[in-house]
Amino acid sequence: MNPSSSLPPHPVHLRLLGQFRLESDRGPVEVCGNAQRLLAFVGLRRRAGRSVVAESLWPDATEAHARASLRTALWKLARDDHALIRCAPGTIAIADEVSVDAQALSDSVRDALYGTGPLDDDRSLLALVNRGDLLPDWDDDWVVLEREWLRRLRLHALDTLSERLTRQGLPALALEAALANIRIEPLRESAHRAVVSAHLAEGNLNEALRHYHAFQHLLRAELGVEPSVRFTRMIPQAQR
């Protein structure tokens, strides 16, 4: 019996936020071509039907060709020392030992959206802001849809996170979350309201006014509209 067979498998990290990367504790793992796309597709879902995988990754191919391409990609991954994929009749799953950063981001987003406990450190915030877009250089239809879904979910989470941090007396972290939101979507009014709210919570009326007027000019220049009444009412009447 091979003594190494009783050892636990090495953890592997699949990075999909930013450039595709596959890493283990022993260093980068080389994966090329369709094997990358297969890992990314299954990694985002943890498990998928074979027919769904084949049709999504090779949408312009015939069914027979798509299934053959899938078998080839699976064979390439099977040659790797790491057990990355688990195959069962009709389904393909990512191995339990493979962590996926996009999935971790989704978990952080759900914590920010639905969590109710105090945020006494910035771990939840950093999990949201210190990440890139999902595979920004890939233009496959399924990637574009997943990228936009994750982006929108992240925006809503940053809105919620900023509001919660302000309520919990952490305006500096609330401001960081709001500014991260603006970097993603510069014309998002809810993010700009959060910035003003954080400044007001710190007693920085001048900073709040400066940001409100900067957003007002941006809206006029880009869209020819004014900030909402809700936003305007955040500013004291005497300073409008």
Side-chain angles (χ1 to χ4, degrees), residues 148-198:
E148 182 60 18
W149 172 82
L150 193 58
R151 176 176 171 274
R152 289 294 169 188
L153 197 62
R154 186 178 173 190
L155 289 171
H156 287 300
L158 286 167
D159 278 340
T160 301
L161 185 60
S162 182
E163 182 181 339
R164 286 178 59 198
L165 288 165
T166 298
R167 286 201 311 265
Q168 293 173 17
L170 299 169
L173 286 178
L175 183 61
E176 188 173 347
L179 292 174
N181 215 348
I182 291 171
R183 286 193 293 271
I184 300 170
E185 187 62 77
L187 294 175
R188 187 177 180 83
E189 184 181 293
S190 58
H192 289 275
R193 288 199 308 265
V195 170
V196 169
S197 180

Side-chain angles (χ1 to χ4, degrees), residues 14-198:
L14 179 58
R15 315 292 189 191
L16 303 179
L17 300 173
Q19 301 300 317
F20 180 99
R21 287 174 296 144
L22 189 66
E23 301 169 344
S24 75
D25 55 357
R26 293 176 289 184
V29 180
E30 292 296 326
V31 181
C32 298
N34 287 333
Q36 282 190 6
R37 296 167 68 240
L38 173 58
L39 269 181
F41 187 90
V42 179
L44 287 170
R45 293 157 179 79
R46 299 306 300 185
R47 181 181 300 274
R50 280 178 176 263
S51 60
V52 173
V53 176
E55 291 168 7
S56 300
L57 296 186
W58 294 276
D60 299 324
T62 64
E63 181 180 352
H65 188 187
R67 288 182 177 274
S69 297
L70 176 58
R71 287 194 297 271
T72 300
L74 287 169
W75 173 75
K76 289 179 179 179
L77 289 176
R79 294 186 304 166
D80 194 273
D81 291 338
H82 305 85
L84 303 173
I85 292 289
R86 300 277 191 261
C87 292
T91 63
I92 303 171
I94 200 80
D96 293 339
E97 297 79 28
V98 180
S99 66
V100 184
D101 61 352
Q103 188 176 53
L105 176 58
S106 295
D107 292 341
S108 296
V109 164
R110 284 192 290 271
D111 288 342
L113 283 173
Y114 308 119
T116 57
L119 295 170
D120 53 2
D121 58 49
D122 59 359
R123 286 176 295 178
S124 295
L125 174 63
L126 294 177
L128 289 170
V129 301
N130 293 335
R131 305 293 180 95
D133 281 335
L134 178 71
L135 299 170
D137 297 330
W138 292 24
D139 59 1
D140 305 61
D141 289 344
W142 61 270
V143 176
V144 173
L145 290 173
E146 292 280 351
R147 184 189 301 137
E148 182 60 18
W149 172 82
L150 193 58
R151 176 176 171 274
R152 289 294 169 188
L153 197 62
R154 186 178 173 190
L155 289 171
H156 287 300
L158 286 167
D159 278 340
T160 301
L161 185 60
S162 182
E163 182 181 339
R164 286 178 59 198
L165 288 165
T166 298
R167 286 201 311 265
Q168 293 173 17
L170 299 169
L173 286 178
L175 183 61
E176 188 173 347
L179 292 174
N181 215 348
I182 291 171
R183 286 193 293 271
I184 300 170
E185 187 62 77
L187 294 175
R188 187 177 180 83
E189 184 181 293
S190 58
H192 289 275
R193 288 199 308 265
V195 170
V196 169
S197 180

